[in-house]
C-alpha cells in the first residue's frame, strides 16, 4: 500500500526485506545483552515493550487509507486468474523450503556441531549476505522475474541435494551463504508480483491468503515430519522438491515457451 510505484514494486519490496534482515541481526544481539545484564523476566518485559512500541509507527502513517477501497472478492473470484494462482502456488512451494531452512536446518547444525554458537553464526551469515544481495535484486527489471525465480529454484534444489551427500562443516556454512543469495532471487520477485496484483485486486485479501499459504506449509512440513523417523533427510528432500517445483512452475506456466519459441533467453 505504501509503494509509490504500483507497476514495479521490486525496489520497495527489497527495502522492506532489508529492514527485516537488519532487525534479524539487532534482535538476538539486544536479547543477549539484556540476558547478560539481567534475567529472562526482564527480557520478556522488554519484548512486550518493543511489541507495543511497534504499533506507534502504524498510528503515524499518513496518506494510506485503512479501509478497503474495493469489495472483498470471494475465493473463486480472487483465484479466477491463472496468473494469480501461479504466484500462490510458487509461494507455497517456496514456503516449504523456508520452513526447513529456518527451523530444521539450524537444528541439524546444532546437532552436527553440538554448539549453540554454530546456530548463531547461521543468522549472521544469512542476514549479511541477503542484505547486500537484496539491494541489487530490487533493481532488476520486471521482465526477468520468471528467470530469476527459475534459476533460484534450480540452484537451491541442488544445494539441498548436496547437503544430503556432503558431510562437511565448512560446506554446510557455505551452503547457508548460497541459499541466502538464491532465496533473495526468489522471494523479491514473488513478493513483488503479489504486491502488484494485490493493489489491483484487494490488498487485504492478498495479504491474508499469502499468510495462509505460509501457515499451511508449516502444517504440511511438521505434520509430515511427525509421522516419520528420518526427520532431516525427509525435510531436505521436501525442500529440494519444492524448489524444483518453483523453477518448473515459474518457467513452464509463464508463457515463456509460447512467447519466445526460438529465443529462450532472459534478455
Amino acid at each position: 500500500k505504501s509503494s509509490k510505484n504500483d507497476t514495479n514494486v521490486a525496489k520497495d519490496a527489497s527495502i522492506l526485506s532489508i529492514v527485516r534482515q537488519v532487525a534479524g541481526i539487532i534482535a538476538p544481539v539486544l536479547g543477549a545483552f539484556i540476558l547478560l545484564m539481567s534475567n529472562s523476566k526482564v527480557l520478556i518485559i522488554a519484548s512486550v515493550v518493543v511489541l507495543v512500541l511497534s504499533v506507534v509507527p502504524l498510528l503515524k502513517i499518513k496518506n494510506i487509507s485503512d479501509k478497503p477501497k474495493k469489495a472483498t472478492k470471494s475465493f473463486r473470484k480472487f483465484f479466477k486468474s491463472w496468473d494469480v494462482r501461479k504466484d500462490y502456488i510458487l509461494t507455497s512451494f517456496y514456503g516449504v523450503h523456508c520452513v526447513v531452512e529456518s527451523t530444521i536446518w539450524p537444528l541439524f547444525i546444532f546437532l552436527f556441531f553440538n554448539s549453540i554458537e554454530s546456530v548463531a553464526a547461521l543468522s549472521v551469515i544469512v542476514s549479511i549476505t541477503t542484505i547486500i544481495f537484496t539491494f541489487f535484486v530490487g533493481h532488476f527489471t520486471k521482465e526477468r522475474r520468471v528467470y530469476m525465480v527459475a534459476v533460484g529454484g534450480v540452484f537451491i534444489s541442488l544445494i539441498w541435494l548436496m547437503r544430503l551427500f556432503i558431510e562437511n562443516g565448512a560446506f554446510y556454512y557455505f551452503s547457508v551463504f548460497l541459499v541466502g543469495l538464491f532465496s533473495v532471487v526468489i522471494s523479491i520477485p514473488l513478493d513483488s508480483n503479489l504486491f502488484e496484483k494485490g493493489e489491483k485486486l484487494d490488498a487485504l485479501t492478498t495479504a491474508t491468503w499469502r499468510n495462509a499459504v505460509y501457515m499451511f506449509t508449516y502444517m504440511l512440513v511438521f505434520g509430515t515430519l511427525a509421522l516419520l523417523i528420518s526427520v532431516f533427510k525427509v525435510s531436505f528432500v521436501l525442500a529440494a522438491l519444492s524448489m524444483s517445483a518453483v523453477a518448473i512452475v515459474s518457467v513452464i506456466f509463464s508463457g515463456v515457451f509460447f512467447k519466445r519459441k526460438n529465443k529462450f533467453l532472459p534478455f
Side-chain angles (χ1 to χ4, degrees):
K1 293 290 289 184
S2 61
S3 178
K4 296 180 180 180
N5 188 353
D6 296 336
T7 58
N8 187 2
V9 301
K11 184 177 180 181
D12 293 326
S14 66
I15 294 175
L16 177 62
S17 178
I18 289 174
V19 171
R20 290 171 177 165
Q21 293 297 332
V22 171
I25 297 177
I26 296 176
V29 174
L30 180 61
F33 176 78
I34 293 175
L35 285 176
L36 290 174
M37 300 300 295
S38 55
N39 53 54
S40 59
K41 290 184 178 180
V42 176
L43 178 62
I44 294 175
I45 295 173
S47 300
V48 173
V49 172
V50 171
L51 184 60
V52 172
L53 291 177
S54 68
V55 179
V56 176
L58 295 176
L59 300 177
K60 296 293 183 180
I61 293 177
K62 299 180 180 179
N63 302 322
I64 296 181
S65 175
D66 58 352
K67 296 181 180 180
K69 296 180 180 180
K70 304 174 184 178
T72 303
K73 295 181 179 294
S74 64
F75 178 86
R76 178 176 297 181
K77 290 183 178 180
F78 184 82
F79 288 101
K80 182 178 180 181
S81 170
W82 164 249
D83 198 30
V84 175
R85 295 198 301 269
K86 182 196 69 175
D87 288 335
Y88 280 92
I89 291 174
L90 291 173
T91 301
S92 64
F93 283 126
Y94 178 65
V96 174
H97 155 73
C98 291
V99 173
V100 179
E101 182 70 18
S102 63
T103 306
I104 305 299
W105 181 248
L107 179 59
F108 173 80
I109 289 294
F110 173 74
L111 294 177
F112 183 83
F113 289 100
N114 195 25
S115 168
I116 192 64
E117 288 81 6
S118 62
V119 179
L122 295 181
S123 300
V124 176
I125 295 173
V126 171
S127 298
I128 294 177
T129 56
T130 52
I131 286 174
I132 297 174
F133 200 59
T134 297
F135 176 78
F136 294 101
V137 172
H139 290 76
F140 285 1
T141 60
K142 186 175 181 179
E143 291 72 19
R144 295 188 179 185
R145 289 180 186 173
V146 173
Y147 303 98
M148 292 166 61
V149 173
V151 169
V154 169
F155 277 97
I156 293 181
S157 178
L158 292 175
I159 293 171
W160 275 114
L161 292 177
M162 292 173 67
R163 284 173 171 176
L164 280 171
F165 300 103
I166 301 177
E167 295 185 5
N168 181 273
F171 168 74
Y172 286 156
Y173 280 115
F174 183 63
S175 70
V176 171
F177 168 78
L178 293 178
V179 169
L181 295 184
F182 289 115
S183 293
V184 174
V185 175
I186 297 175
S187 62
I188 300 302
L190 283 182
D191 283 345
S192 299
N193 287 338
L194 289 176
F195 294 158
E196 290 166 5
K197 291 182 177 66
E199 185 63 25
K200 295 178 180 179
L201 295 171
D202 178 13
L204 181 59
T205 303
T206 300
T208 301
W209 281 114
R210 178 178 181 271
N211 293 337
V213 165
Y214 269 108
M215 291 300 99
F216 175 77
T217 59
Y218 276 79
M219 293 172 56
L220 176 64
V221 172
F222 292 118
T224 302
L225 294 180
L227 301 175
L228 299 170
I229 298 176
S230 185
V231 176
F232 293 120
K233 290 186 177 180
V234 172
S235 61
F236 295 174
V237 171
L238 283 174
L241 292 176
S242 67
M243 298 315 300
S244 298
V246 166
I248 294 172
V249 174
S250 176
V251 174
I252 294 181
F253 297 103
S254 297
V256 174
F257 290 117
F258 303 100
K259 293 180 181 178
R260 300 179 180 181
K261 295 182 179 179
N262 300 320
K263 297 181 179 180
F264 187 63
L265 294 173
F267 309 103

